[in-house]
Amino acid sequence: MTEQSLSYSSPQMQDESFLLEVNNLKMYFPITRGIFARVKGYTKAADDVSFFIRKGETVGLVGESGCGKTTVGRCIVRAYTPTAGEILYRRADGAVVDLAKLQGEELRPYRKDIRVIFQDPYSSLNPRMTVFDIITEVLKVNKLAQPEEMRESVEYLLKRVGMRPEYMQRYPHAFSGGERQRIVIARALITNPRLVVCDEAVSALDVSIRAQILNLLEELQADFDLTYLFISHDLSVIRHICDRVVVMYVGKVVEIAEGLDLYISPKHPYTEALMSSVPISNPRLRARGSRIRLPGEVADPSNPPPGCYFHPRCLYAQPICAKESPPLRLLDGTRSHYVACHFAEELSLRGATMEE
Ligand code: SF4
């Protein structure tokens, strides 16, 4: 798959700069009923999702709650086994493996390469373990280091995330939310990962602490040569940190673009509505950009509408939209802007109101 390709249907990883390529990923959860738990249908949490991440990039995955972004992240870290599709990962030696096809022990080497930072620093730390044990658990389970090496690594990482090394013998209850998230970050980095999936990593934090953690993540990216997949519903956060953004709606990717391009010039009506909801602090600018209120409710992923899933709410829908599902395709006249809308070239959509 190259940026010039018209669709995301060619699983190649031809470009050496690609670290990860997700192709036609599907994650369907069965809906069962009755005492025999017969399968009555499926919730299509991720439905034909495709995108790629280059080495050193920060890619944002955005959408409302329930759009499937967390499911995609969990498939990539292989907390879930995908129903179908590929998750192609380029190892440090250059070889490409399909993580979606691996099972059990085969996944072990990649558990250290691909790490995750969860949203809630309160529930993601075991209250009965010390900070040292929390950070080194993955090393012990996978026999990746000797005890003396672990101590040195924990000391170094705690300092690097802005905490005192002597805190390693304390328990999580002794720390604030921001400090806990720093511990979570140290735990993610202890294996020297190549890709970190940040799942709403700053959503549970106060605004001032959020900015500190975002700055820390940016510094660590440069120092540790990290690549981030940043999953968030917060468009202000995504704009601050991401190079490119993937927008999802009801399990499908509807738009992919460079961060600023997406904010200034969205090409999908759903992205336009999302951008109109970006909070504006300046009252003069706030008056300029009114929020678009979409009619109806988000579609049910177990029973999505025919054609374009967004058509019952779309302000620009035409008869064809209820019949034919628009494929994700390269927008005419661009090199890297992908959109799934029949009328993307014809619509003139409004971007986010920029404050700076
Ligand atoms: Fe709206 Fe039709 Fe485009 Fe879907 S394909 S986003 S319904 S205009």
Side-chain angles (χ1 to χ4, degrees), residues 25-37:
L25 182 74
K26 295 182 181 177
M27 186 70 227
Y28 294 176
F29 295 102
I31 302 167
T32 56
R33 294 224 176 86
I35 53 169
F36 297 111

Side-chain angles (χ1 to χ4, degrees), residues 43 225 243-244 334:
T43 297
D225 205 12
D243 302 308
R244 285 188 306 121
T334 72

Side-chain angles (χ1 to χ4, degrees), residues 279-290 353-356:
I280 305 164
S281 54
N282 183 331
R284 279 191 300 121
L285 292 176
R286 208 181 297 150
R288 209 190 289 167
S290 61
T353 304
M354 308 300 269
E355 295 199 72
E356 45 195 77

Side-chain angles (χ1 to χ4, degrees), residues 318-346:
Q318 303 284 329
I320 189 181
C321 303
K323 295 186 197 120
E324 287 181 25
S325 175
L328 186 66
R329 63 190 173 82
L330 188 64
L331 188 71
D332 285 356
T334 72
R335 286 172 55 82
S336 58
H337 197 142
Y338 294 84
V339 65
C341 172
H342 294 307
F343 303 103
E345 282 80 4
E346 295 152 43

Side-chain angles (χ1 to χ4, degrees), residues 1 6 14 41 52 72 82 88 92 108 116 155 172 176 189 226 256 264 285-287 308 327 341:
M1 180 175 67
L6 287 176
Q14 286 167 342
F52 63 84
V72 170
L88 303 178
R108 191 182 278 255
V116 64
E155 272 180 17
S176 67
L189 298 187
L226 297 171
I256 304 175
I264 292 174
L285 292 176
R286 208 181 297 150
C308 173
C341 172

